[in-house]
Every structure is written in structure tokens, then in C-alpha cells.
Amino acid sequence: PVTAPNRIGVCQTGLDSHWERRFKSGRVEPDLTLDLHGHTLDTAYARITAGLDQARAMDARVVLVIAGRERPVAPAARANRRGAIRAKMLDWLAAGPHADYISAVRRAHRSHGGEGALYLILKRRR
């Protein structure tokens, strides 16, 4: 059954308990990792878009995006402060060209970066 749109505005079918157990135990192995450290907002957005193009081309299911921890800052200061990429990430995913291909977004296990990283679960090709 399809649920309401998730945090990034993507309708998801929900992940089964097998996936959820794998997330909690840290047994999820990413098919592709995108590390956004050292990028500006513009280059980070371009990297995410190109990385998701690559992930879809290789039929990846799990993409690990390392963006650093989101830091509480005023919206007007987000472009110039630490944590700006992480603060923008969910908006980019929701509005980007790959929104329809993202099944779920989960915080990464601490072995993959914890609060500073996200798993993007991509839908299977039909």
C-alpha cells in the first residue's frame, strides 16, 4: 500500500521489516557513496544530481550521501554556514529530477556516518 508523501515529498511504499532490521544493525551496504565534503552548495547539488544519474544507470538500490551534520542556523545564513549542504539536502531531493526514483530516505548507521549521512533507497527498475 502506498503511504502519504514522506519527508522529501516522495510517495513511498514503505520498506519492509527486513530493510528496517538491516538499517538498525548497520548491515546495509551502499552500492554508491557520494561524499559532499568540501563542496559549495552549487557543486554539491550538481554532484548529487550526477551521482543519482550514475546510480540509476548502474541499477543501484542504496546510495550513501555524506553531507555532514545539519546545524541549527537561521534560514538566511544557511548558504554561508557549516551544515548548509545537509540543511538543503531534503529540499534538493524533493525538487530534483530524481524525486520519483527515491523510495525512502534514512539516516545512516553510525558506521557510515550517522547523523552526517543519509541512505537513499532507490526504486527498482520496472
Side-chain angles (χ1 to χ4, degrees):
V2 175
T3 60
N6 66 12
R7 289 181 50 183
I8 67 164
V10 177
C11 287
Q12 64 183 24
T13 57
L15 298 175
D16 62 24
S17 60
H18 175 72
W19 275 100
E20 297 300 342
R21 282 192 304 272
R22 289 176 61 202
F23 286 127
K24 283 187 177 188
S25 68
R27 289 183 296 143
V28 172
E29 286 302 319
D31 299 308
L32 180 69
T33 299
L34 304 174
D35 188 346
L36 304 178
H37 286 108
H39 284 270
T40 65
L41 287 173
D42 290 336
T43 62
Y45 179 77
R47 179 66 185 118
I48 288 172
T49 302
L52 289 174
D53 284 337
Q54 179 184 358
R56 290 192 56 228
M58 58 188 270
D59 207 17
R61 288 297 311 277
V62 180
V63 177
L64 176 66
V65 180
I66 302 168
R69 292 185 181 166
E70 187 171 7
R71 305 213 191 303
V73 293
R78 284 191 183 148
N80 302 318
R81 295 291 193 107
R82 287 180 54 95
I85 291 172
R86 179 65 176 85
K88 292 282 208 174
M89 177 93 54
L90 296 178
D91 293 336
W92 289 344
L93 294 173
H98 299 288
D100 292 338
Y101 304 104
I102 299 171
S103 214
V105 176
R106 296 287 190 274
R107 182 180 302 148
H109 187 267
R110 76 185 129 167
S111 65
H112 286 136
E115 292 182 23
L118 297 172
Y119 296 122
L120 306 181
I121 312 308
L122 304 182
K123 293 179 181 177
R124 288 190 188 276
R125 284 192 176 174
R126 295 178 186 191

